[in-house]
Amino acid sequence: MENETDVVRPDLVVVLGPTASGKSALGIALAQQFNGEIVSADSRQVYRGLDIGTAKVTPHERSLVPHHLLDVVDPGEVYSVAQFQREAIAVIDAILRREHLPLLVGGSPHYIQTVVDNFDIPTVEPQPELRARLESRPLEDLLRELEQLDPQSAVSVDRKNPRRVIRALEVCLVTGKPFSQQRRSARPLYRCLLLGIQWPREILYQRIDSRIDERLQQGLVAEVQEQLEKGLSHERLDSFGLEYRFVSRWLRGELASEAEMVQRLKYASHDFARRQLSWFRRDQRILWLDGEEGGLVARASTAVRAFLAHP
């Protein structure tokens, strides 16, 4: 019988961390040093036209090293975790065939885990009638039902994202089994080095606030208005994360002023970063690098070099 420890797997470097921690910059620096290519593990950057609100890398940054799985589908389309897993694995394998180093870079824990742990994701096709019924119910009711059917998913899911909550419920109701119990790890495909970037909490919050201010200066509101003009609904925009959710609510008059919108967006983003960190902290394999210390790139490079030297 094949010994699991004897299996030779190709190398994959993962750069992860909370929002505004500096993942993209570190990923680019490592890719430049180690002849690498970057695979985005961001659940929003797959959508075309959602550039400012998702902090998508710029055309200049893309010119420095190859980037993959950006701008995959239009915002009106649905892109599932299962689709990401299939396409990410295909891209990583192609990078390896070119004898380059693949770097999976992002902050979406589910996306990262599906690749690192090779999750066997439930193949439940979307159920339009069931989804329509669920979408007609208040989010609070959906969360209560999910807590009864699948307490583990109720904790790990983005509780403010109706699309994620509905998908977890959909799988539970169709299969009769908790969604969390159906996401099982298969044999890992890659030997992974997981590098996490961490900051003291107050400094991370400052970085988040500064980036929100920069996004607004870059035209975040205009980006949201453009998507609305193209026919995207406010409800759909809500599913694309906090930046789009709060700007959309302000534009439809649910918030009194732009100042209130910005302040509430910053507070919600702090909470989101805390939840990201709580999720990542469960994984003891992550090597955490302190962003406040000098020489972040040098320390990450040392870790990658040691990883590659000892297969």
Side-chain angles (χ1 to χ4, degrees):
M1 188 174 185
E2 186 180 48
N3 190 329
E4 189 74 11
T5 60
D6 294 335
V7 176
V8 178
R9 298 186 180 89
D11 296 329
L12 172 66
V13 173
V14 182
V15 178
L16 55 85
T19 183
S21 58
K23 301 179 293 294
S24 297
L26 180 58
I28 290 171
L30 293 175
Q32 289 178 308
Q33 286 192 37
F34 294 97
N35 194 27
E37 302 184 30
I38 291 174
V39 182
S40 171
D42 189 293
S43 62
R44 304 183 303 161
Q45 292 184 1
V46 296
Y47 293 102
R48 303 183 190 102
L50 304 186
D51 302 331
I52 299 172
T54 66
K56 199 175 291 178
V57 288
T58 65
H60 171 69
E61 289 171 319
R62 296 191 209 190
S63 73
L64 298 175
V65 297
H67 282 72
H68 304 276
L69 297 189
L70 299 173
D71 302 325
V72 178
V73 294
D74 290 327
E77 301 176 65
V78 175
Y79 190 83
S80 69
V81 175
Q83 283 175 275
F84 169 79
Q85 183 189 45
R86 289 193 302 270
E87 295 185 15
I89 289 171
V91 168
I92 291 168
D93 290 347
I95 293 171
L96 291 165
R97 287 194 295 272
R98 290 191 286 273
E99 298 185 353
H100 292 180
L101 176 66
L103 293 102
L104 187 66
V105 179
S108 297
H110 287 300
Y111 275 35
I112 292 169
Q113 275 200 312
T114 59
V115 175
V116 169
D117 295 317
N118 192 22
F119 271 152
D120 185 10
I121 299 175
T123 55
V124 175
E125 293 297 321
Q127 310 288 315
E129 293 184 4
L130 174 59
R131 282 194 179 185
R133 291 200 300 273
L134 294 174
E135 288 170 354
S136 68
R137 294 168 53 190
L139 179 58
E140 293 76 13
D141 288 352
L142 300 177
L143 284 168
R144 279 194 291 270
E145 184 170 359
L146 185 61
E147 287 167 352
Q148 294 175 352
L149 296 176
D150 187 359
Q152 186 174 337
S153 286
V155 171
S156 63
V157 74
D158 181 353
R159 297 173 63 89
K160 295 183 180 179
N161 189 329
R163 184 164 55 94
R164 298 286 173 82
V165 175
I166 287 172
R167 176 57 180 169
L169 266 178
E170 181 181 49
V171 173
C172 291
L173 294 170
V174 171
T175 65
K177 300 177 182 178
F179 183 43
S180 57
Q181 292 182 12
Q182 299 181 60
R183 295 166 63 92
R184 290 288 179 249
S185 299
R187 174 178 293 177
L189 299 174
Y190 311 108
R191 188 177 73 103
C192 298
L193 170 65
L194 280 67
L195 298 175
I197 306 174
Q198 63 181 356
W199 293 85
R201 189 65 55 91
E202 290 307 313
I203 293 180
L204 178 62
Y205 291 167
Q206 292 170 13
R207 290 173 62 89
I208 290 170
D209 292 351
S210 295
R211 194 167 75 169
I212 288 172
D213 291 337
E214 290 171 5
R215 289 179 179 182
L216 289 165
Q217 292 169 6
Q218 292 166 355
L220 174 59
V221 174
E223 183 172 270
V224 174
Q225 290 172 323
E226 180 182 358
Q227 293 302 324
L228 290 168
E229 290 169 2
K230 289 181 177 179
L232 212 62
S233 68
H234 284 284
E235 290 73 22
R236 180 62 173 156
L237 278 167
D238 282 356
S239 71
F240 290 131
L242 297 172
E243 294 83 1
Y244 297 99
R245 188 177 304 159
F246 279 92
V247 172
S248 171
R249 289 178 180 175
W250 174 54
L251 291 176
R252 57 187 159 178
E254 294 182 5
L255 301 175
S257 66
E258 182 177 6
E260 180 189 356
M261 180 269 289
V262 172
Q263 195 61 59
R264 291 183 62 176
L265 171 56
K266 289 178 178 179
Y267 286 154
S269 298
H270 297 173
D271 180 61
F272 177 64
R274 286 195 296 270
R275 286 188 282 112
Q276 282 181 301
L277 282 168
S278 295
W279 180 275
F280 286 132
R281 293 292 186 195
R282 303 172 190 168
D283 195 334
Q284 298 301 310
R285 297 168 297 181
I286 298 174
L287 172 62
W288 288 99
L289 304 173
D290 194 329
E292 192 178 24
E293 294 179 13
L296 174 63
V297 173
R299 286 181 284 122
S301 299
T302 298
V304 172
R305 197 170 292 110
F307 170 72
L308 298 176
H310 298 91

